[in-house]
Structure formats: C-alpha cells, structure tokens
Amino acid sequence: REKEIREKGSEILREQLDAAKRELKLKDKECERLSQVRNQLEQELEELTASLFEEAHKMVREANVKQAGAEKQLKEAQGKIDVLQAEVTALKTLVLTSTPSSPNWQLHPQLQTSGTRGSNKHVGGHVRNKSVSGVFPTSKLCHRVSIFCLQMDSILYTEFLLWRECPSLDRSSAFLSRVYREDIGPCLSFTRSELSQLVQGAVESNSLTIEPVAIPALPMIKASSIECGGPRAAVETKCALSGLSRACQHRIKLGDKGTYYYISPSSRARITTVCNFFTYIRYIQQGLVRHDAEQMFWEVMRLRREMAVAKLGFYLTDQG
C-alpha cells in the first residue's frame, strides 16, 4: 500500500510538472510575440522619425531657397530704388535751378542762340547745368572759350583708370588724393578755416544745402548783425566764409543743423563746383554713367577745370 501511495504521488508530481512545462511554453510564445510586436513598433517609429526629419530638412531647404530669392529680389529692388532716387535728385536739381534770371539751358534750349547751343557741348558728351556750376567767366573783360585743344596726360589718366576699377570716395587713392590736394582743398579753403572744414565735410557727406534768399521788405540792417543765421537784409552782409561784405543772395545749411550761413556769389560758385565734381563721381560709383573711360576722364577734367577757375575768383552771376 505504501508503494501505491508513492506511485500516485509521483504521478501527481509528473502531471504538475507537465502542466508547468506547458504553461512555460505558452509564456515563451507570448514573450516571443510581444518581442516581435516591440521590434515592429520600434522599426515603424524609426521610419516615422526618419521621414519626419527628411520632411523637416526639405522644408528648411525650401525656406532657405525662398529666403535667398527674396533677399536677392530685395537687393535688386534696393538697387533700382537707389538708381531712381539718384535720377529724381538729378531731375530736381535741373528743375529747381531753372529761373527766369538764370534759365536752365537743358530744360529750355529754345532760349539759346545757335552759338550758345554749340558752346554747351563738352568733351565726353556729358552736359553740365551752367546755372548750378556757375563758373564760366562771362564779363566784358573775359570771354568764354568754346574750342579747346586737348592732350591727355598719361599719369592723370592712369590714376583715373585705377580708381575706376573700384570707384569709391576714399581719398587714399592716387586719383582722389591728387584732386583733393590740387582742386578741392584750395577751392574750399576760405578765410574762416573752421567753417571751411565743416563745409567740406558736409559736401563729402552730401548733406550740404544751398538755397537762394528772397529779399524781404526790411529796414536797413548793419552787416555785422546778420553775419549768419539771421534774416537777409536789403543791404550787403558779411560772407560767412570769406568775412567780406558782399551782396549775399544765397545761404547754406550743414546737415540737419538749423543754422544758416549767408555766402557771397564767389563762395557759392566755389562750393557748387566741388559739389558738381562729387555728384559726378558718385554717379560713376553707382554705375549711372554709361560712357567709356575716356569720356568719363574728360568730364572729370572739365569739372576740375571749373574748380580751378572758381578758386581764382571767376564765376557766373545770375544776371550773366
């Protein structure tokens, strides 16, 4: 009987062991299935992440391309705006400087005689506004020269060509250094040296304003009391640059400052010739001049000649 009990116990244990093995196999299959699900999910997650990164990079690339295109269009638009502003400024200068007493010959060619029209042509094909430059000697004692014999100076031309390759307003170049030394400096060198330096700085920065002064019905005022900054009287005033008593029909303003300085016709002519020179080389710098190098050079020489003549005291009056 004891033997039967042991056999029965062994049989029960074997059955329990078999049940445990079966249950363990089921657990193994479930783990394997879950592992496969996990691997599949990880693979799908990696693919989704890669797809998202690729889409994000694509969007960034497209945004960069669009931004580069927009920046290029903005730069081109700004360039066109600069050109248009320069043209508008030039047109304003031409229009505003035409008066009955001093007409603009380019706007009113019908006012010129045949001889006068012919004398307006200069070497290089660039016509300048005489009412602006105002430096041609036209008194009874001096006559305008209409024909010049031209001979190019190789040194001056070489300096100009080197400057034209990379035009700038930096006076360190041989070309501008010479013009400053020989023309601009002497032309803007007045008795009042401190104000002269301020005027030169305003001309260089293109912030100087010259405007005519109307003659109001005022009582007689001493010249010393209206040297600068005050109303224009119907008598002679002191030129703020030369210090001499002259009939000052124009005044200048430096930048945004509210102070006006009254200047004589001679001082105005010297300043405007320098302004004309800077205007032309700025046009060259901005690419607005379509002439070849030789034409540009002769126009620059003509502008230098105007400065040389103006600093010697020759200028065109409004009645001239």
Side-chain angles (χ1 to χ4, degrees), residues 2 10 18 36 43 63 83 123-124 150-151 156 167 174 185 188 197 232 235 243 278 291:
E2 182 180 353
S10 297
D18 293 337
Q36 291 177 353
Q43 183 178 0
V83 172
V123 175
L150 304 177
Q151 182 174 348
L156 298 181
L188 296 182
Q197 294 177 358
R232 184 187 185 281
V235 295
F278 273 105
H291 298 155

Side-chain angles (χ1 to χ4, degrees), residues 147-294:
I147 300 177
F148 294 92
C149 296
L150 304 177
Q151 182 174 348
M152 182 180 296
D153 186 291
S154 59
I155 297 177
L156 298 181
Y157 188 58
T158 301
E159 292 177 350
F160 174 74
L161 290 180
L162 291 175
W163 173 84
R164 182 172 172 267
E165 290 179 0
C166 185
S168 69
L169 300 182
D170 184 4
R171 67 173 70 183
S172 62
S173 66
F175 165 67
L176 280 185
S177 177
R178 179 186 295 274
V179 177
Y180 266 98
R181 183 176 65 255
E182 297 179 358
D183 301 307
I184 297 176
C187 203
L188 296 182
S189 178
F190 297 95
T191 304
R192 305 293 174 85
S193 59
E194 184 176 353
L195 182 59
S196 299
Q197 294 177 358
L198 295 176
V199 169
Q200 180 172 328
V203 172
E204 292 172 346
S205 62
N206 199 23
S207 60
L208 182 138
T209 303
I210 303 179
E211 59 183 36
V213 181
I215 302 178
L218 294 179
M220 300 292 284
I221 303 176
K222 291 183 179 180
S224 59
S225 65
I226 53 173
E227 181 174 344
C228 68
R232 184 187 185 281
V235 295
E236 289 186 343
T237 63
K238 276 190 178 181
C239 173
L241 291 169
S242 66
L244 301 176
S245 295
R246 293 290 185 268
C248 300
Q249 300 176 359
H250 293 81
R251 63 182 185 177
I252 61 174
K253 185 176 72 170
L254 309 179
D256 296 330
K257 298 180 180 178
T259 304
Y260 286 91
Y261 299 90
Y262 291 84
I263 58 174
S264 64
S266 175
S267 298
R268 178 211 175 205
R270 291 167 66 172
I271 293 174
T272 53
T273 55
V274 178
C275 290
N276 289 343
F277 173 79
F278 273 105
T279 298
Y280 188 66
I281 64 173
R282 285 193 187 98
Y283 283 173
I284 296 177
Q285 183 186 19
Q286 297 169 5
L288 301 178
V289 182
R290 302 304 181 187
H291 298 155
D292 57 35
E294 186 172 342

